[in-house]
Amino acid sequence: MTETTNDTLNIAGREFSSRLLVGTGKYKDMQETRAAIDASGAEIVTIAVRRTNIGQNADEPNILEVLPPSEFTYLPNTAGCYDVKTAVRTCRLARELLDGHDLVKLEVLGDEKTLFPDVMATMKAAEELIRDGFKIMVYTNDDPIIARELEAMGCVAVMPLAAPIGSGLGIRNKLNILTIVENAKVPVLVDAGVGTASDAAVAMELGCDGVLMNTAIAAAQNPVLMASAMKKAIQAGREAFLAGRMPARRYASASSPVDGLFFN
């Protein structure tokens, strides 16, 4: 039996075996979307409500038919929202289309160039949505103080960026992510900036509860193979965190002790 037996991700009272959350955009078609998500082992899939048909357009392909809610937990997100009103309206639309579904990923962006979060608007939207009964997983910057405030407000998970959305730059500020993890009592998931499997492993080694990604898989030359790699990286990083790494040392330390040798 390993230390990861029964090591589940708990979000808003629900348990999940996979700590990898994946997006559904940017694939060449819905068949590739399904294949990549299957390879990732993800149980939670996020959808951009303003860009994806989940029933609002009756004459277009519906992603719910490719990824049935009976098989996956949906995480509607507010991608593309730049103000409080639009973000709140988008969440309410998702709840209506998904039969009362209340778990959402909130992001309110500051500008189109960087896609950094507008933190003040994010907090206002979170406050309003929490009052309205939503369970908010919130995309934010890597500021530990803001993360603390969002948790205190009632967000069920805090999701700091590793780097700008879609950049693939990996975790640019490990110390801030570590500080957020050390002080949080809700799940912390890295969201945005992961580029390859090693980035995901680093996030997990820092103690993050999970990683959400889309572009890193969808924009790979072989998305299905990359999804499989990400699954393994998440698992390896989590096990390394639970195992407790050796201390880093400036100088060498012999693998075999020199004391008690039979010869000099």
Side-chain angles (χ1 to χ4, degrees), residues 50-51 78-87 107-113 115-116 118 121:
R50 301 187 74 205
R51 301 168 181 160
T78 59
C81 294
Y82 291 85
D83 60 78
V84 174
K85 182 178 180 180
T86 305
E107 57 182 81
V108 185
L109 303 176
D111 65 78
E112 295 184 6
K113 183 177 181 179
L115 300 182
F116 282 140
D118 181 333

Side-chain angles (χ1 to χ4, degrees), residues 1 9 50 56 70 124 129 156 163-164 166 174 198 205 214 236 241 244 255-256:
M1 182 178 294
L9 171 63
R50 301 187 74 205
Q56 63 269 51
S70 59
K124 290 178 182 177
L129 288 165
V156 300
K174 295 179 185 178
S198 56
E205 289 170 5
N214 187 178
F241 170 73
S255 298
S256 302

Side-chain angles (χ1 to χ4, degrees), residues 24-240:
T24 55
K26 302 184 179 181
Y27 294 94
K28 68 180 182 181
D29 53 40
M30 287 197 178
Q31 288 67 40
E32 184 178 73
T33 302
R34 177 68 200 227
I37 290 174
D38 283 344
S40 76
E43 298 166 274
I44 301 176
V45 294
T46 184
I47 50 171
V49 179
R50 301 187 74 205
R51 301 168 181 160
T52 307
N53 182 30
I54 56 173
Q56 63 269 51
N57 300 315
D59 56 346
E60 296 180 7
N62 188 333
I63 198 167
L64 300 182
E65 298 173 358
V66 179
L67 302 170
S70 59
E71 297 181 39
F72 300 94
T73 295
Y74 269 76
L75 183 63
N77 69 59
T78 59
C81 294
Y82 291 85
D83 60 78
V84 174
K85 182 178 180 180
T86 305
V88 170
R89 185 171 63 243
T90 300
C91 288
R92 288 173 176 160
L93 173 62
R95 181 168 62 182
E96 180 180 342
L97 292 171
L98 295 173
D99 300 321
H101 186 84
D102 58 7
L103 181 67
V104 297
K105 176 194 165 187
L106 173 65
E107 57 182 81
V108 185
L109 303 176
D111 65 78
E112 295 184 6
K113 183 177 181 179
T114 66
L115 300 182
F116 282 140
D118 181 333
V119 173
M120 297 302 293
T122 297
M123 296 182 78
K124 290 178 182 177
E127 186 175 28
E128 183 171 346
L129 288 165
I130 290 169
R131 282 200 307 266
D132 197 19
F134 284 93
K135 297 170 184 175
I136 304 297
M137 298 176 67
V138 59
Y139 166 69
T140 184
N141 59 15
D142 59 3
D143 183 337
I145 306 304
I146 296 299
R148 184 184 65 191
E149 293 300 314
L150 289 165
E151 177 181 340
M153 182 181 296
C155 294
V156 300
V158 176
M159 308 177 74
L161 55 79
I165 292 174
S167 67
L169 291 171
I171 299 177
R172 309 313 298 168
N173 196 332
K174 295 179 185 178
L175 292 180
N176 274 24
I177 299 294
L178 180 60
T179 301
I180 292 172
V181 168
E182 289 176 338
N183 291 285
K185 294 182 176 61
V186 296
V188 175
L189 299 93
V190 157
D191 179 15
V194 168
T196 190
S198 56
D199 299 330
V202 168
M204 299 307 296
E205 289 170 5
L206 289 171
C208 290
D209 296 281
V211 178
L212 188 151
M213 66 181 75
N214 187 178
T215 308
I217 295 176
Q221 293 181 32
N222 186 331
V224 177
L225 187 58
M226 182 61 80
S228 176
M230 291 297 187
K231 175 182 178 179
K232 298 178 179 74
I234 293 288
Q235 293 171 340
R238 179 64 178 175
E239 290 185 9

